[in-house]
Amino acid sequence: MNVSPAQSINVPINVSMPPTPYYLLDEALIVDNMQIIARLCELSGAKALLALKCFATWGVFDAMAPYLHGTTSSSLNEVRLGFETFGNNDNAADNSEKKETHAYSVAYSADEIPEVLKYADKIIFNSFSQLSAFKDQAHAKNIPVGLRLNPKTSNSSFIIADPARPFSRLGEHDKARIAAVLSDITGVMIHNNCENDSFEAFSESLADIEARFGDILQQLEWVSLGGGIHFIAPDYPLEKLAERLKAFSEKYGVQVYLEPGEASIHGAGTLVTTVLDTMHNAKNLAVVDSSIEAHMLDLLIYRESAPIVAINGQPVIIAPLDTALNKDVADSESEALAKNSSADNTIIYGRSCLAGDIFGEYSLPSTLKVGDTVTFGNAAGYTMVKKNWFNGVNMPAIVIRRLDGTVDIQREFNYQEYKASLS
């Protein structure tokens, strides 16, 4: 999860906000990202699909739909959500108005396929065996079929998110066997980037794929290059990426698809919390009414910390210190740890029972007090889709700042929903 400091989101003081914690999405900041994606598509000829596995808060889809070509999914529920909520697919006057809905899953069950095919414009199978089992049903409905290709190379800093990790189940790599099923498929999906902000690394990886699978690519109609390309960074060479994608498309005669997830909503969502308690144990400690395990789970999974973008509603940009609080093993001799070790620092904890429920350690301008609000940045991608009821901690409400500046409380959660989720 990319946790670089994000833009602050100001809340109008005349708006009655729900009790904390709550997620706050800003449509204007989302549209800023959308415009970059649309520009890339315009220059390259690629099509962009929102990756629902990363972000699926459909309350802002109306602001996103004008800029994207559709959605891509990882399950039956996601493909249905994409069809029902992203664009007016049921009432589209013609195919030019309809948004594309791509279906993919690591493994489908046989009983899911008929319903998946009700919503999908393309279906991508993860393995030869799934392709063999279900391709005929897709062909009978004239739905294009794809296969996930695993080039066994990747751009990922995290082994947990590396599709090319040893013994990976994510896609097929045997070129001869892929060639043998070309008559069954019209395209492939290749997803081997994770938070890759280097154009050079992406281009080299694509060149490697071309060298090994070029003769296969020439026989396809479309290629999805997945997501994980951090091309919305201010210093990313967008035009060079567009040229590379366009050249790839023209060389092999394929429609290129991209699946931006984090790139679609980076910096556009925050988690607003309130300090419930303060303590001191060699350092300043603060406990907020949220939980990293329940409300920003990706930070815990990837052993990262959250940036602070506002304190008591005042915009700040405070990056977490590198103190290895969320690492499995702390290196006591690390220069970074020694440099950042200060009794004046503040560690912000979540309220769950997990000892490592830590948002991060920070050097703050003043000591936090009970009742202070702390707003954590970049809390949309791979965050809202993973929220859970651990410890029964209150689920954050979902608040949306619209393009016209009005603020909607999209959803609040209560005890009955917590109870219903358990039995």
Side-chain angles (χ1 to χ4, degrees):
M1 163 174 211
N2 195 314
V3 293
S4 59
Q7 286 180 267
S8 300
I9 301 176
N10 296 319
V11 181
I13 59 174
N14 61 335
V15 173
S16 178
M17 303 300 288
T20 58
Y22 58 85
Y23 298 108
L24 178 58
L25 298 171
D26 191 313
E27 287 188 336
L29 297 180
I30 292 174
V31 168
D32 286 346
N33 293 334
M34 292 293 99
Q35 290 173 339
I36 296 172
I37 296 171
R39 176 64 173 161
L40 176 61
C41 291
E42 178 186 7
L43 294 174
S44 68
K47 293 184 176 182
L49 308 173
L50 175 64
L52 296 177
K53 63 182 178 181
C54 171
F55 181 76
T57 305
W58 49 267
V60 297
F61 282 0
D62 284 350
M64 305 175 79
Y67 302 92
L68 300 177
H69 297 87
T71 60
T72 185
S73 58
S74 298
S75 66
L76 167 58
N77 283 340
E78 283 189 353
V79 70
R80 178 177 177 177
L81 182 74
F83 179 84
E84 291 183 348
T85 64
F86 201 90
N88 189 19
N89 293 324
D90 277 325
N91 299 314
D94 54 51
N95 285 336
S96 66
E97 295 182 10
K98 188 177 183 297
K99 296 296 182 179
E100 293 191 44
T101 306
H102 289 203
Y104 165 78
S105 175
V106 171
Y108 286 113
S109 62
D111 63 307
E112 290 178 322
I113 293 298
E115 188 173 359
V116 169
L117 295 176
K118 284 172 54 180
Y119 308 115
D121 296 298
K122 289 183 175 65
I123 185 166
I124 302 164
F125 295 110
N126 185 69
S127 67
F128 294 127
S129 59
Q130 289 253 303
L131 174 66
S132 176
F134 305 127
K135 62 181 173 61
D136 290 342
Q137 293 182 59
H139 291 157
K141 292 183 175 294
N142 295 315
I143 294 174
V145 172
L147 178 70
R148 180 164 184 172
L149 188 155
N150 189 330
K152 302 191 78 172
T153 60
S154 65
N155 293 294
S156 174
S157 302
F158 305 99
I159 185 66
I160 193 173
D162 187 352
R165 63 185 289 154
F167 320 112
S168 175
R169 76 200 189 289
L170 299 176
E172 298 287 4
H173 64 275
D174 188 317
K175 183 176 176 181
R177 293 187 67 191
I178 295 170
V181 299
L182 283 174
S183 61
D184 295 325
I185 64 176
T186 59
V188 295
M189 187 260 277
I190 306 169
H191 179 30
N192 68 332
N193 291 281
C194 178
E195 294 188 22
N196 180 12
D197 60 2
S198 168
F199 167 74
E200 289 73 19
F202 169 81
S203 184
E204 290 172 7
S205 176
L206 189 58
D208 178 68
I209 291 169
E210 291 180 86
R212 289 193 288 150
F213 298 100
D215 53 341
I216 286 176
L217 298 176
Q218 287 177 335
Q219 301 177 66
L220 302 174
E221 296 176 13
W222 54 272
V223 175
S224 172
L225 296 175
I229 310 167
H230 197 58
F231 56 79
I232 62 165
D235 57 350
Y236 194 95
L238 193 73
E239 289 74 16
K240 291 176 66 175
L241 175 61
E243 291 173 4
R244 185 72 173 90
L245 295 174
K246 185 175 183 179
F248 176 89
S249 173
E250 293 176 346
K251 180 177 181 179
Y252 299 103
V254 294
Q255 173 63 59
V256 170
Y257 287 92
L258 300 174
E259 301 177 3
E262 174 69 21
S264 296
I265 40 73
H266 182 75
T270 59
L271 175 63
V272 184
T273 70
T274 297
V275 176
L276 300 179
D277 196 10
T278 60
M279 302 170 64
H280 193 85
N281 184 359
K283 295 184 180 184
N284 298 314
L285 313 180
V287 181
V288 297
D289 59 355
S290 182
S291 164
I292 183 176
E293 183 163 19
H295 307 150
M296 294 189 81
L297 182 60
D298 237 32
L299 295 177
L300 186 64
I301 293 171
Y302 290 96
R303 301 297 192 264
E304 294 190 339
S305 299
I308 297 174
V309 297
I311 297 177
N312 292 326
Q314 298 302 308
V316 296
I317 298 179
I318 302 176
L321 301 172
D322 182 13
T323 57
L325 278 173
N326 284 334
K327 312 298 182 188
D328 290 323
V329 178
D331 179 1
S332 60
E333 297 181 358
S334 165
E335 290 184 11
L337 299 188
K339 174 183 177 183
N340 292 326
S341 180
S342 169
D344 294 328
N345 291 348
T346 298
I347 301 172
I348 299 181
Y349 282 93
R351 69 188 301 187
S352 82
C353 67
L354 179 69
D357 191 343
I358 300 169
F359 283 87
E361 180 170 341
Y362 310 89
S363 176
L364 301 179
S366 58
T367 304
L368 292 174
K369 305 181 299 298
V370 172
D372 285 345
T373 60
V374 180
T375 302
F376 297 102
N378 215 28
Y382 292 107
T383 298
M384 299 176 73
V385 293
K386 294 187 178 185
K387 63 186 183 296
N388 60 75
W389 286 105
F390 179 62
N391 270 195
V393 175
N394 290 337
M395 186 80 74
I398 299 172
V399 181
I400 301 172
R401 180 171 182 148
R402 301 296 181 184
L403 290 173
D404 63 4
T406 60
V407 173
D408 291 338
I409 300 175
Q410 179 77 10
R411 179 73 189 276
E412 294 182 87
F413 302 88
N414 57 37
Y415 168 77
Q416 294 303 326
E417 290 165 298
Y418 161 68
K419 181 181 178 182
S421 73
L422 298 173
S423 289

